[in-house]
Amino acid sequence: MRYLVANLKMNKSFQETKEYLMFLATRYNDNKKVGLTLSLPYTYILMAKYLLEDKPIKIGGQNICEEEEGKCTGEISGNMLRSCGAQSVIIGHSERRKKFKEDNKIINLKIKSALKNRLSIILCIGESLSENKACKTMEILKEQIETAFKGLYENELENIMIAYEPIWAIGTGVIPTTKDISKVAKEIRKIIADDFSVSASEKMRILYGGSVNLKNITSLKNIKSIDGFLIGGACLDGGVLLQIASSL
Ligand code: 13P
């Protein structure tokens, strides 16, 4: 099974999203080889629940508040996401880490809140260009994983996918070599094996994200050590998303 998570980010109007969802609802075939999730802006989750009813497409959010309820103006809780139809949530995206100053400790609390609300998690991790150039990639990723997973039980990891998204590859058209992605994925599994168990590391689903498109998917899909992809820009065109899904 391969996984494809489409991160719509902050794009499309209500009408455009409706058309996008209706297009996918009619065109997406029950591809047993690919698990497709749409990570939507909050305001469109409920509409997606109705338009995609009975379709083999899962719905997710893009952020969750670490608090359960109350004095958090502008935030969204796990219960709100879940009760509107979301089954998963992206946590730790580099855009949120940077723009909204979300650190690894907050990300750990957000993960706990998502688990409590029965939401599966796509945890984004990734290094900046300067960290990459300074050969600090694995040091950064290890810190991101270990702080994010602090206090979790091994069985809870089954609800989490790790998306490796180098910051310098997001929206730039520049991607790491397949060899480098493979190496990072293996190192991530080693961290999970050391901290939890070999079995947990083998079960961990690892995605790659950053400038995935119709062209580079032909080589990216051959990386054996990853389980799928987190897609931004390319997923905004429903036709392209479907072509990527069917190429896996
Ligand atoms: P792009 O595919 O546009 O590079 O975005 C990747 C991303 O940030 C997905 O979460």
Side-chain angles (χ1 to χ4, degrees):
M1 181 85 169
R2 293 222 125 183
Y3 298 88
L4 207 48
V5 179
N7 180 6
L8 278 282
K9 303 193 181 182
M10 197 175 72
N11 289 294
K12 295 190 188 290
S13 67
F14 182 85
Q15 186 58 30
E16 286 163 350
T17 306
K18 187 175 167 195
E19 284 163 18
Y20 177 84
L21 293 171
M22 284 168 68
F23 172 82
L24 293 178
T26 49
R27 303 286 183 89
Y28 185 69
N29 296 319
D30 195 354
N31 182 347
K32 300 264 186 305
K33 280 189 347 208
V34 179
L36 176 63
T37 298
L38 304 180
S39 293
L40 297 162
Y42 316 130
T43 46
Y44 305 146
I45 289 174
L46 194 56
M47 166 167 65
K49 175 181 151 81
Y50 292 112
L51 291 179
L52 300 176
E53 210 157 38
D54 304 328
K55 303 289 170 199
I57 302 176
K58 293 201 160 100
I59 305 162
Q62 299 171 8
N63 177 38
I64 179 175
C65 183
E66 62 280 11
E67 309 272 345
E68 282 301 300
E69 63 179 352
K71 296 173 183 169
C72 293
T73 302
E75 284 292 307
I76 187 140
S77 72
N79 183 31
M80 289 168 181
L81 287 168
R82 179 88 216 167
S83 60
C84 284
Q87 293 140 295
S88 66
V89 62
I90 293 175
I91 296 179
H93 195 283
S94 59
E95 288 154 14
R96 293 209 59 89
R97 288 178 190 260
K98 188 161 181 236
K99 275 204 172 76
F100 303 99
K101 311 272 178 283
E102 291 181 3
D103 63 15
N104 292 325
K105 282 190 186 147
I106 291 283
I107 286 163
N108 173 252
L109 297 176
K110 285 174 184 269
I111 288 178
K112 288 177 178 161
S113 179
L115 288 170
K116 196 167 168 190
N117 288 285
R118 294 175 295 112
L119 290 162
S120 61
I121 294 147
I122 298 112
L123 169 69
C124 296
I125 57 171
E127 82 287 3
S128 67
L129 187 59
S130 58
E131 289 160 347
N132 182 283
K133 284 193 169 150
C135 297
K136 286 189 169 163
T137 299
M138 284 322 302
E139 187 188 316
I140 298 294
L141 300 189
K142 188 170 158 61
E143 171 66 19
Q144 289 176 339
I145 293 170
E146 294 191 332
T147 311
F149 286 178
K150 210 169 182 155
L152 298 196
Y153 295 104
E154 182 173 326
N155 65 337
E156 292 176 313
L157 297 191
E158 288 171 19
N159 301 310
I160 303 177
M161 295 194 220
I162 294 179
Y164 170 52
E165 293 207 310
I167 300 168
W168 49 273
I170 296 177
T172 58
V174 182
I175 60 168
T177 62
T178 52
K179 211 170 139 200
D180 283 345
I181 295 171
S182 186
K183 193 168 156 234
V184 167
K186 285 178 189 154
E187 297 274 353
I188 291 172
R189 288 193 204 281
K190 192 171 175 313
I191 294 168
I192 307 291
D194 290 346
D195 293 354
F196 292 90
S197 71
V198 171
S199 141
S201 80
E202 287 168 352
K203 280 193 238 157
M204 176 55 68
R205 288 157 299 167
I206 300 177
L207 311 181
Y208 166 76
S211 294
V212 175
N213 60 32
L214 255 183
K215 268 194 189 157
N216 58 31
I217 195 69
T218 50
S219 59
L220 289 172
K221 73 175 183 185
N222 296 320
I223 306 174
K224 298 269 184 306
S225 48
I226 59 170
D227 303 279
F229 302 94
L230 176 55
I231 305 187
C235 78
L236 296 176
D237 180 327
V240 171
L241 179 62
L242 292 187
Q243 283 185 66
I244 291 177
S246 61
S247 78
L248 293 180

